[in-house]
Amino acid sequence: MSRQPPEQQAPPVQRLRVRYAKRGRLRFTSHRDFSRAFERAVFRAQVPMAYSSGFNPHPRISYAGAAPTGSASEAEYLEIALAQVVDAATIHALLDESLPDGLDVLEVVDAADLEKGGLADRLVASRWLIDTGADETLARSAVADFLAAESVTVERMTKKGLREFDCRAAVVSLVVADDGAAQGRLRLDLVLRHSVPSVRPDDVLTGIRSLSALDLGGPPLLTRVEQGPLDEATGVVGDPLAR
Protein backbone atom coordinates (compact mmCIF):
# COMPACT_ATOMS: atom_id res chain seq x y z
CA MET A 1 0.00 0.00 0.00
CA SER A 2 1.48 3.33 -1.06
CA ARG A 3 1.96 6.05 1.50
CA GLN A 4 -0.14 9.16 1.02
CA PRO A 5 1.87 12.33 0.39
CA PRO A 6 1.91 14.84 3.26
CA GLU A 7 -0.65 17.60 3.33
CA GLN A 8 0.57 20.85 1.84
CA GLN A 9 -0.05 23.90 4.01
CA ALA A 10 -1.23 27.23 2.63
CA PRO A 11 1.50 29.90 2.48
CA PRO A 12 1.59 32.53 5.27
CA VAL A 13 -0.43 35.69 4.76
CA GLN A 14 1.42 37.82 7.33
CA ARG A 15 4.77 37.87 9.13
CA LEU A 16 5.37 39.56 12.46
CA ARG A 17 8.76 40.33 13.96
CA VAL A 18 9.12 40.18 17.73
CA ARG A 19 11.64 41.72 20.11
CA TYR A 20 11.78 40.09 23.52
CA ALA A 21 13.89 40.17 26.67
CA LYS A 22 15.47 37.55 28.93
CA ARG A 23 15.68 38.92 32.47
CA GLY A 24 16.53 37.81 35.98
CA ARG A 25 16.78 34.07 36.51
CA LEU A 26 15.28 33.47 33.06
CA ARG A 27 18.65 34.47 31.56
CA PHE A 28 19.66 30.86 32.26
CA THR A 29 16.99 29.65 29.84
CA SER A 30 18.62 27.86 26.91
CA HIS A 31 17.54 28.56 23.34
CA ARG A 32 15.81 25.17 23.22
CA ASP A 33 13.96 25.88 26.49
CA PHE A 34 12.84 29.27 25.17
CA SER A 35 11.63 27.86 21.86
CA ARG A 36 9.49 25.32 23.73
CA ALA A 37 8.10 28.02 26.01
CA PHE A 38 7.33 30.26 23.04
CA GLU A 39 5.53 27.51 21.13
CA ARG A 40 3.40 26.84 24.20
CA ALA A 41 2.71 30.58 24.47
CA VAL A 42 1.44 30.92 20.88
CA PHE A 43 -0.77 27.86 21.46
CA ARG A 44 -2.24 29.26 24.71
CA ALA A 45 -2.71 32.69 23.12
CA GLN A 46 -4.47 31.07 20.14
CA VAL A 47 -2.27 32.92 17.67
CA PRO A 48 -3.34 31.85 14.12
CA MET A 49 0.03 30.40 13.19
CA ALA A 50 0.97 29.20 9.72
CA TYR A 51 2.41 25.68 9.70
CA SER A 52 5.08 23.94 7.68
CA SER A 53 4.16 21.22 5.22
CA GLY A 54 5.26 17.60 5.62
CA PHE A 55 4.41 14.64 7.80
CA ASN A 56 5.16 16.58 11.00
CA PRO A 57 3.88 20.15 10.58
CA HIS A 58 5.22 22.70 13.04
CA PRO A 59 4.49 26.39 13.57
CA ARG A 60 6.55 28.70 11.39
CA ILE A 61 8.83 30.48 13.86
CA SER A 62 12.25 31.79 12.81
CA TYR A 63 14.75 32.57 15.56
CA ALA A 64 17.74 34.85 14.92
CA GLY A 65 20.85 35.75 16.89
CA ALA A 66 19.99 34.07 20.21
CA ALA A 67 22.14 35.13 23.18
CA PRO A 68 24.28 32.50 24.96
CA THR A 69 22.69 30.70 27.91
CA GLY A 70 23.31 32.65 31.12
CA SER A 71 23.27 36.05 29.40
CA ALA A 72 20.51 38.55 30.06
CA SER A 73 19.19 40.40 27.03
CA GLU A 74 16.95 43.29 26.06
CA ALA A 75 17.35 42.61 22.34
CA GLU A 76 16.34 39.09 21.26
CA TYR A 77 14.44 38.66 17.99
CA LEU A 78 12.24 36.17 16.17
CA GLU A 79 9.71 36.14 13.34
CA ILE A 80 6.38 34.32 13.20
CA ALA A 81 4.34 33.51 10.09
CA LEU A 82 0.55 33.68 10.36
CA ALA A 83 -2.38 32.10 8.56
CA GLN A 84 -4.58 35.16 9.18
CA VAL A 85 -3.92 38.89 9.21
CA VAL A 86 -3.98 40.18 12.78
CA ASP A 87 -3.20 43.39 14.65
CA ALA A 88 0.40 43.44 15.86
CA ALA A 89 -0.55 45.19 19.12
CA THR A 90 -3.08 42.44 19.91
CA ILE A 91 -0.48 39.71 19.38
CA HIS A 92 1.98 41.68 21.54
CA ALA A 93 -0.45 41.67 24.47
CA LEU A 94 -1.42 38.01 24.03
CA LEU A 95 2.17 36.76 23.86
CA ASP A 96 3.39 38.86 26.78
CA GLU A 97 0.55 37.52 28.93
CA SER A 98 1.26 33.91 27.93
CA LEU A 99 5.03 33.93 28.58
CA PRO A 100 6.49 33.63 32.10
CA ASP A 101 7.82 36.72 33.87
CA GLY A 102 11.39 37.26 32.77
CA LEU A 103 10.64 36.33 29.16
CA ASP A 104 9.03 39.60 28.16
CA VAL A 105 7.76 40.71 24.75
CA LEU A 106 8.93 44.28 24.11
CA GLU A 107 7.80 44.99 20.55
CA VAL A 108 5.83 43.35 17.74
CA VAL A 109 5.77 44.82 14.22
CA ASP A 110 4.43 43.74 10.85
CA ALA A 111 7.35 42.74 8.63
CA ALA A 112 5.56 44.30 5.65
CA ASP A 113 6.06 47.73 7.27
CA LEU A 114 9.85 47.31 7.43
CA GLU A 115 12.65 47.47 4.91
CA LYS A 116 12.93 44.45 2.64
CA GLY A 117 15.30 41.67 3.68
CA GLY A 118 15.39 38.86 6.20
CA LEU A 119 15.53 39.49 9.93
CA ALA A 120 18.85 37.67 10.31
CA ASP A 121 20.40 39.92 7.66
CA ARG A 122 19.63 42.95 9.85
CA LEU A 123 21.39 41.53 12.92
CA VAL A 124 24.96 42.52 12.12
CA ALA A 125 26.28 43.48 15.56
CA SER A 126 25.42 43.55 19.27
CA ARG A 127 26.12 45.93 22.13
CA TRP A 128 26.79 44.32 25.50
CA LEU A 129 27.15 45.63 29.04
CA ILE A 130 29.45 43.49 31.18
CA ASP A 131 29.25 44.04 34.94
CA THR A 132 32.29 42.79 36.88
CA GLY A 133 34.04 43.18 40.20
CA ALA A 134 37.31 44.24 38.55
CA ASP A 135 39.44 47.13 39.76
CA GLU A 136 38.82 50.19 37.56
CA THR A 137 42.46 51.23 37.13
CA LEU A 138 43.56 47.70 36.25
CA ALA A 139 40.57 47.24 33.95
CA ARG A 140 41.33 50.39 31.97
CA SER A 141 44.92 49.23 31.48
CA ALA A 142 43.79 45.74 30.47
CA VAL A 143 41.28 47.11 27.95
CA ALA A 144 43.96 49.36 26.43
CA ASP A 145 46.31 46.39 26.05
CA PHE A 146 43.58 44.32 24.40
CA LEU A 147 42.64 47.06 21.92
CA ALA A 148 46.29 47.65 21.05
CA ALA A 149 46.74 44.00 20.04
CA GLU A 150 46.38 43.12 16.35
CA SER A 151 44.89 39.74 17.26
CA VAL A 152 44.08 37.82 20.44
CA THR A 153 43.67 34.08 20.12
CA VAL A 154 41.34 32.21 22.48
CA GLU A 155 39.93 28.70 22.69
CA ARG A 156 36.35 27.56 23.26
CA MET A 157 34.74 24.14 23.34
CA THR A 158 32.17 23.80 20.55
CA LYS A 159 30.01 20.95 19.25
CA LYS A 160 32.90 20.08 16.95
CA GLY A 161 35.44 20.08 19.75
CA LEU A 162 37.97 22.62 21.01
CA ARG A 163 38.23 25.52 18.58
CA GLU A 164 40.84 28.28 18.38
CA PHE A 165 40.01 31.71 16.94
CA ASP A 166 40.82 35.42 17.06
CA CYS A 167 38.46 37.30 19.39
CA ARG A 168 39.98 40.75 18.72
CA ALA A 169 38.83 41.11 15.09
CA ALA A 170 35.12 41.09 16.00
CA VAL A 171 35.44 43.92 18.57
CA VAL A 172 34.13 47.22 17.19
CA SER A 173 34.55 49.11 20.47
CA LEU A 174 35.31 48.37 24.12
CA VAL A 175 35.37 50.93 26.93
CA VAL A 176 35.07 51.12 30.69
CA ALA A 177 31.67 52.77 31.07
CA ASP A 178 31.54 56.03 33.00
CA ASP A 179 27.99 55.41 34.24
CA GLY A 180 29.07 52.31 36.18
CA ALA A 181 26.74 49.59 37.39
CA ALA A 182 25.61 48.40 40.78
CA GLN A 183 27.61 49.67 43.74
CA GLY A 184 31.00 48.02 43.89
CA ARG A 185 30.85 46.76 40.28
CA LEU A 186 32.66 47.91 37.16
CA ARG A 187 30.94 47.98 33.78
CA LEU A 188 32.45 47.34 30.35
CA ASP A 189 30.60 48.58 27.26
CA LEU A 190 31.30 46.28 24.31
CA VAL A 191 30.16 46.33 20.67
CA LEU A 192 30.74 43.06 18.83
CA ARG A 193 30.40 42.46 15.11
CA HIS A 194 28.70 39.14 14.37
CA SER A 195 31.23 36.88 12.69
CA VAL A 196 32.03 33.29 11.77
CA PRO A 197 33.01 31.75 14.07
CA SER A 198 30.86 33.80 16.43
CA VAL A 199 32.69 35.75 19.13
CA ARG A 200 30.88 36.07 22.46
CA PRO A 201 31.47 38.55 25.30
CA ASP A 202 32.98 35.80 27.46
CA ASP A 203 35.49 35.14 24.67
CA VAL A 204 36.54 38.80 24.85
CA LEU A 205 36.93 38.54 28.63
CA THR A 206 39.07 35.44 28.13
CA GLY A 207 41.18 37.37 25.63
CA ILE A 208 41.62 40.32 28.00
CA ARG A 209 42.71 38.04 30.82
CA SER A 210 45.15 36.20 28.56
CA LEU A 211 47.02 39.50 28.11
CA SER A 212 46.73 40.96 31.59
CA ALA A 213 45.48 38.29 34.06
CA LEU A 214 42.80 40.81 35.11
CA ASP A 215 40.83 39.65 38.17
CA LEU A 216 37.11 39.98 37.34
CA GLY A 217 36.10 39.57 40.98
CA GLY A 218 33.71 36.69 40.35
CA PRO A 219 31.38 35.69 37.52
CA PRO A 220 30.46 38.66 35.28
CA LEU A 221 26.88 39.57 34.41
CA LEU A 222 26.44 39.84 30.63
CA THR A 223 23.53 41.83 29.23
CA ARG A 224 22.85 42.41 25.54
CA VAL A 225 21.17 45.80 25.23
CA GLU A 226 21.13 46.24 21.43
CA GLN A 227 21.30 44.01 18.38
CA GLY A 228 20.89 45.14 14.79
CA PRO A 229 22.55 46.87 11.84
CA LEU A 230 25.95 48.47 12.41
CA ASP A 231 26.85 52.00 11.38
CA GLU A 232 30.46 51.46 10.35
CA ALA A 233 31.26 55.18 10.60
CA THR A 234 30.10 55.62 14.20
CA GLY A 235 30.10 52.06 15.58
CA VAL A 236 26.49 52.50 16.69
CA VAL A 237 24.16 49.48 16.65
CA GLY A 238 20.80 50.36 15.09
CA ASP A 239 17.25 49.10 15.49
CA PRO A 240 16.42 46.15 13.18
CA LEU A 241 12.70 46.92 13.54
CA ALA A 242 13.01 50.58 12.55
CA ARG A 243 10.47 51.59 9.92
Side-chain angles (χ1 to χ4, degrees):
M1 184 176 179
S2 62
R3 190 177 185 183
Q4 294 295 320
E7 180 182 356
Q8 297 298 304
Q9 301 290 330
V13 298
Q14 184 184 29
R15 296 182 185 274
L16 298 179
R17 292 181 181 174
V18 179
R19 177 187 178 192
Y20 66 95
K22 291 171 58 178
R23 296 166 170 162
R25 291 186 298 176
L26 272 297
R27 70 182 185 276
F28 296 107
T29 303
S30 69
H31 176 63
R32 178 176 295 181
D33 290 337
F34 173 78
S35 62
R36 290 172 178 168
F38 190 79
E39 288 192 20
R40 289 195 295 268
V42 297
F43 179 78
R44 285 195 299 268
Q46 298 184 341
V47 177
M49 297 295 298
Y51 282 77
S52 63
S53 298
F55 290 107
N56 185 28
H58 57 273
R60 290 182 176 271
I61 305 172
S62 300
Y63 302 93
T69 303
S71 303
S73 180
E74 297 294 315
E76 300 298 287
Y77 294 91
L78 58 84
E79 182 176 280
I80 58 176
L82 304 181
Q84 300 175 22
V85 176
V86 295
D87 179 60
T90 299
I91 297 300
H92 184 165
L94 290 172
L95 289 177
D96 201 34
E97 183 178 353
S98 300
L99 284 167
D101 290 341
L103 297 177
D104 305 316
V105 175
L106 305 180
E107 188 175 5
V108 179
V109 300
D110 192 324
D113 295 336
L114 306 178
E115 295 181 8
K116 292 183 179 180
L119 174 60
D121 296 334
R122 299 281 292 161
L123 304 181
V124 176
S126 292
R127 177 174 171 235
W128 294 84
L129 299 180
I130 306 174
D131 293 332
T132 78
D135 175 82
E136 180 177 353
T137 300
L138 296 178
R140 291 186 183 278
S141 176
V143 166
D145 290 343
F146 178 84
L147 294 176
E150 291 187 6
S151 66
V152 180
T153 301
V154 297
E155 293 180 333
R156 186 175 76 229
M157 185 61 68
T158 70
K159 294 179 180 179
K160 297 182 179 180
L162 191 64
R163 186 163 190 178
E164 188 177 89
F165 55 93
D166 175 21
C167 70
R168 173 64 184 89
V171 175
V172 178
S173 64
L174 173 63
V175 298
V176 176
D178 293 331
D179 58 342
Q183 186 174 4
R185 304 286 281 178
L186 177 130
R187 172 170 287 176
L188 302 177
D189 192 326
L190 168 69
V191 174
L192 274 178
R193 181 180 285 103
H194 298 174
S195 60
V196 179
S198 64
V199 175
R200 308 185 313 201
D202 52 310
D203 296 322
V204 175
L205 292 177
T206 299
I208 291 173
R209 297 185 69 193
S210 73
L211 298 178
S212 63
L214 178 68
D215 183 3
L216 298 178
L221 175 60
L222 312 176
T223 304
R224 174 152 58 190
V225 291
E226 295 171 338
Q227 182 180 193
L230 177 67
D231 186 323
E232 296 288 350
T234 64
V236 172
V237 178
D239 180 1
L241 303 185
R243 293 168 175 81

